[in-house]
Amino acid sequence: MKQLYESLGISKEVYEYGEGILEALKERFAAIDETAEYNQLKVIAAMQKAHVSAECFNASSGYGYDDIGRDTLEEVYAAAFHTEAALVRPQITCGTHALAIALAGNLRPGDELLSISGRPYDTLEEVIGIRPSCGSLAEYGVTYAQVDLLEDGSFDYEGIEKALRPQTRLIEIQRSKGYQTRPTLSVAQIGEAIAFIKERRPDVIVMVDNCYGEFVERLEPSDFDADMIVGSLIKNPGGGLAPIGGYIAGTKECVERAAYRLTCPGLGKEVGASLGVMRSFYQGFFLAPTVTAAALKGAIFAANVYERLGFKVVPNGSESRHDIIQAVEFGFPEGLTSFCEGIQAAAPVDSYVTPEPWAMPGYDSDVIMAAGAFIQGSSIELSADGPLKPPYAVYFQGGLTWPHAKLGILMSLQKLYEKGHVTLPVKQQ
Ligand SMILES: *Cc1c(COP(=O)(O)O)cnc(C)c1O
């Protein structure tokens, strides 16, 4: 094994350091496997309940009327996430798009959108109009308010109480930290906040940005009364196989309103050809619990590898996990770039290219991204990225298999080690 790693470019020192870290993680990995087992059963049960058949994998074209594969898949998502309905489509181009239609479909002029988990994900700033943008919700007369999380990352209940106004129509909660260094919210924490809101304002719609959170825990925010959970299929629920897509799962009313925005008023869910991607949507969802488990192991391994070397890691090496993202703060740009070079060098695809920082649409600073992915930009596949600005934090996520995640992390360390940015602790005898 060591020889094979060496032939891939991992030195003996880096390999042995990694093995030492892994020794201590056995129990946590066993617990992750149990969660995957639970969620796998949940998905199989949903597929059986919805009567998934081989016919569901056929492609439809044109209008896509009566597409049984598409309609059954939406039943599967609704059954797995315990919601009344779901919208799962290749016409949803990404997570931002799914969130945008969930918001635009459910908000009307004069309504207020309230975020209670602080600043939303970068790309949503333009959707909402926090950064002025053509076609934003702000242009349509939807106002925006925000309550930041408290210092310790928990909800500011006093602030939320004060921010609830008669025009508050929809509350957004972002589960994952995104490009921030706050802790990710647990499903239990989100559930508590939903109960708090519903007690005061049962008329308000609660939407959870569930990106990166699916199948990390046994329950989802929809198990706690969220009206909509929203995510991307090139993250967890696509299982690495979905080539495009997003989902919205929630109440029948909310999902239908979003569908009228995705297609158009009057047509809603009734149109939308599935174009031959259904097999990968089903199979990806089927694999998603174990793929998410692989990614989670990678995140925990990375946290422990870099924490022990003195870097700040979020979450830390021993914290419980609520999404698959791992942040490592290097504090200097070469740390971030070397890490990304390592992830790229360990990839099955495009391993021979070197990632460079670049301006990206939707982001306000240069971003470096490493991915040797089968699906462009897929972040359930092993990938790392980070904005080139202090604290030079890398956001690392994904890994379709645990051995690949392990190789990627060892390779990132190898790059830092070779350039003299880290010294490895002497092995204890
Ligand atoms: C990835 C992500 C999004 C946006 O998804 P894209 O597919 O990149 O558009 C939104 N919110 C969170 C928390 C995310 O992690």
Side-chain angles (χ1 to χ4, degrees):
M1 188 81 89
K2 207 182 295 184
Q3 257 174 6
L4 194 48
Y5 272 108
E6 261 189 272
S7 74
L8 283 161
I10 305 294
S11 66
K12 187 167 152 280
E13 294 78 12
V14 167
Y15 175 77
E16 280 173 359
Y17 172 71
E19 290 307 294
I21 296 283
L22 277 179
E23 214 23 64
L25 293 175
K26 283 189 175 148
E27 257 175 55
R28 289 194 76 193
F29 279 23
I32 290 170
D33 288 334
E34 263 184 46
T35 302
E37 184 179 344
Y38 184 95
N39 286 326
Q40 182 72 79
L41 297 180
K42 192 159 83 173
V43 168
I44 292 172
M47 290 190 167
Q48 293 179 349
K49 185 177 170 209
H51 285 190
V52 174
S53 67
E55 203 189 346
C56 293
F57 309 143
N58 292 341
S60 68
S61 59
Y63 293 109
Y65 291 139
D66 303 317
D67 183 328
I68 185 187
R70 178 196 67 207
D71 294 347
T72 305
L73 180 71
E74 290 178 342
E75 281 177 40
V76 169
Y77 266 68
F81 292 145
H82 307 130
T83 59
E84 288 172 8
L87 188 67
V88 189
R89 304 279 170 127
Q91 285 82 13
I92 301 177
T93 55
C94 60
T96 305
H97 187 200
L99 289 156
I101 62 175
L103 291 171
N106 282 282
L107 287 160
R108 295 292 177 269
D111 287 348
E112 184 152 282
L113 161 65
L114 171 64
S115 164
I116 61 165
S117 47
R119 201 167 64 88
Y121 193 73
D122 293 46
T123 55
L124 282 187
E125 294 193 346
E126 282 166 299
V127 170
I128 296 168
I130 299 170
R131 269 185 285 149
S133 166
C134 181
S136 68
L137 291 170
E139 285 194 348
Y140 285 90
V142 174
T143 57
Y144 172 74
Q146 175 178 317
V147 179
D148 289 336
L149 294 169
L150 296 174
E151 197 75 26
D152 66 356
S154 64
F155 287 108
D156 175 5
Y157 285 108
E158 225 171 274
I160 295 170
E161 180 106 61
K162 276 192 217 134
L164 283 172
R165 304 201 296 162
Q167 62 268 43
T168 307
R169 175 71 185 134
L170 192 150
I171 288 185
E172 199 229 350
I173 302 174
Q174 184 182 311
R175 179 171 173 184
S176 170
K177 63 184 154 311
Y179 283 117
Q180 293 171 29
T181 45
R182 64 147 166 112
T184 282
L185 295 160
S186 71
V187 173
Q189 266 178 307
I190 291 171
E192 212 171 85
I194 295 172
F196 180 88
I197 293 156
K198 296 278 174 179
E199 215 174 282
R200 283 155 185 82
R201 288 288 301 278
D203 59 307
V204 162
I205 296 167
V206 180
M207 180 194 84
V208 178
D209 175 350
N210 209 28
C211 281
Y212 286 129
E214 299 90 354
F215 300 124
V216 171
E217 299 184 45
R218 293 184 181 199
L219 299 175
E220 301 292 338
S222 46
D223 290 308
F224 290 90
D225 239 9
D227 298 286
M228 287 187 280
I229 59 172
V230 183
S232 162
L233 298 201
I234 61 169
K235 294 180 179 171
N236 311 16
L241 294 187
I244 190 171
Y247 78 91
I248 298 167
T251 65
K252 191 163 176 290
E253 232 185 348
C254 284
V255 168
E256 273 176 5
R257 279 194 293 247
Y260 289 127
R261 175 56 59 147
L262 171 65
T263 63
C264 66
L267 299 185
K269 291 178 84 176
E270 303 301 316
V271 294
S274 58
L275 304 171
V277 298
M278 279 298 123
R279 184 196 309 279
S280 58
F281 276 27
Y282 281 99
Q283 202 170 3
F285 197 58
F286 171 74
L287 292 177
T290 51
V291 168
T292 303
L296 209 46
K297 288 176 185 174
I300 292 171
F301 181 52
N304 283 277
V305 159
Y306 283 99
E307 183 170 62
R308 182 118 180 260
L309 295 173
F311 295 104
K312 183 179 174 201
V313 296
V314 184
N316 73 33
S318 54
E319 253 174 84
S320 69
R321 297 276 157 164
H322 310 292
D323 68 11
I324 62 165
I325 304 186
Q326 181 61 49
V328 182
E329 284 184 24
F330 286 103
F332 57 104
E334 299 79 14
L336 169 59
T337 52
S338 306
F339 183 100
C340 290
E341 282 169 25
I343 295 301
Q344 190 73 42
V349 181
D350 293 337
S351 62
Y352 52 87
V353 303
T354 308
E356 299 275 354
W358 209 257
M360 294 279 301
Y363 298 92
D364 67 358
S365 69
D366 279 3
V367 177
I368 185 165
M369 298 195 163
F374 294 98
I375 308 283
Q376 187 198 83
S378 167
S379 45
I380 187 60
E381 296 187 54
L382 191 69
S383 50
D385 45 76
L388 256 283
K389 60 183 181 188
Y392 300 102
V394 72
Y395 296 83
F396 161 86
Q397 65 272 312
L400 297 184
T401 70
W402 154 239
H404 179 218
K406 177 179 172 181
L407 175 66
I409 295 151
L410 291 176
M411 194 66 87
S412 74
L413 180 58
Q414 182 71 35
K415 297 286 177 195
L416 280 137
Y417 180 62
E418 279 170 9
K419 292 178 189 176
H421 295 312
V422 294
T423 46
L424 298 177
V426 182
K427 203 182 161 200
Q428 316 262 309
Q429 288 302 328

